[in-house]
Amino acid sequence: MSNFVSVDELNRLLSDVDSVRVIDVRWRLDRPDGHGEYLAGHVPGAVYVPLDTELSTHGDPSEGRHPLPSTQTLQDAARRWGVGQGDVVIAYDDSRGLSASRAWWLLRQGGVDVRVLDGGISAWRAAGLPVETDDVRPEPGDVVLDEIGADAISIDEAGAFPASGILLDVRAAERYRGESEPLDPVAGHIPGAVNLPMAAHLDSEGMLLDTHTLRASFAGVGVTDGTPVAAYCGSGVTAAHTALVLDEIGIRAKVFPGSWSQWSNTPGRPVAVGEQPG
């Protein structure tokens, strides 16, 4: 079963199934609070989810910008969204699936049947489907989540990963090479990591590319069936999208949630620059 649903599939689910919960995870680094955009128009019945407080937690900079929430925090949030036992959750955003993928990655670990809307709210609007402007606050759900965290790796595990598998840096190439770093104190990448920006998986409309193209792209950096693979990005959000895409083609990946924001804020961690893994 696919991790993605099309706008037509979601529209059909909303009309035929009572146990579908839709969450709007609009978030960007330059605009972390997407509630205003949500109120300007969202998929009917969708609940707004603040990524910074419900899909992550906050602590010392050495933990990274978006550390994992506790299982209890995530469960409380999911219940606020109205998620009950056995419900299907559909996540979407307006940023090519990046923040929706964070929800997918966490909820899947918790045992929830969760999908991502291919193309997000842009595809929904382009299809001429209706939007609503209310602030949806459903009756609390009763979902019970499994413990999350098994699909995450620590900073030490990330540093050691290239010795036994492929560590993917999914940031833009100039950040990987160390030519630009708009957010963190050090520019460059984790030694041994290979670069495959997440944008390589999407077409110009933000829709997922076909399986053959995706497999060829990953194979080009050494990721094939049976390859141990983990991904990191700036703060653990974009990397979840790469994990989602890999899972869609049958390859399970780990994510380093601290990502570059944790690595670059931890004294003594080596840094590589340039096009080569180093």
Side-chain angles (χ1 to χ4, degrees), residues 10 49 58 64 79 82 106 133 234 264 270:
L10 177 55
V49 174
H58 294 280
R79 290 182 174 186
L106 291 172
T133 57
S264 62

Side-chain angles (χ1 to χ4, degrees), residues 167-188:
L167 180 63
L168 294 175
D169 182 319
V170 305
R171 298 173 300 160
E174 61 270 18
R175 291 184 72 187
Y176 172 83
R177 294 192 298 263
E179 297 168 359
S180 170
E181 183 44 65
L183 298 166
D184 293 310
V186 180

Side-chain angles (χ1 to χ4, degrees), residues 75-207:
Q75 179 175 283
D76 290 345
R79 290 182 174 186
R80 183 189 72 78
W81 311 334
V83 180
Q85 286 292 94
D87 285 354
V88 176
V89 175
I90 311 296
Y92 74 88
D93 58 37
D94 61 353
S95 55
R96 300 180 295 169
L98 297 188
S99 46
S101 297
R102 172 76 171 204
W104 170 86
W105 183 65
L106 291 172
L107 290 171
R108 184 188 65 164
Q109 293 179 67
V112 175
D113 184 355
V114 55
R115 327 277 173 78
V116 170
L117 177 61
D118 196 12
I121 190 67
S122 296
W124 183 268
R125 288 182 181 275
L129 292 167
V131 296
E132 295 180 350
T133 57
D134 56 332
D135 198 354
V136 179
R137 299 182 183 275
E139 289 294 316
D142 62 357
V143 68
V144 177
L145 299 186
D146 299 334
E147 191 70 24
I148 66 171
D151 285 349
I153 61 172
S154 68
I155 188 170
D156 289 335
E157 290 171 322
F161 206 92
S164 58
I166 302 295
L167 180 63
L168 294 175
D169 182 319
V170 305
R171 298 173 300 160
E174 61 270 18
R175 291 184 72 187
Y176 172 83
R177 294 192 298 263
E179 297 168 359
S180 170
E181 183 44 65
L183 298 166
D184 293 310
V186 180
H189 60 266
I190 297 174
V194 296
N195 187 218
L196 184 61
M198 60 76 52
H201 314 316
L202 304 173
D203 67 15
S204 60
E205 301 298 320
M207 307 289 283

Side-chain angles (χ1 to χ4, degrees), residues 21-77:
R21 301 291 175 261
V22 183
I23 57 174
D24 184 309
V25 198
R26 281 188 248 196
W27 170 94
R28 293 198 310 257
L29 277 173
D30 62 338
R31 190 220 60 210
D33 184 358
H35 192 233
E37 285 81 359
Y38 162 83
L39 292 176
H42 57 77
V43 172
V47 178
Y48 175 69
V49 174
L51 183 146
D52 278 348
T53 57
E54 293 190 327
L55 301 180
S56 62
T57 188
H58 294 280
D60 187 86
S62 63
E63 297 178 83
R65 281 190 298 278
H66 294 106
L68 297 189
S70 68
T71 302
Q72 186 64 54
T73 295
L74 184 63
Q75 179 175 283
D76 290 345

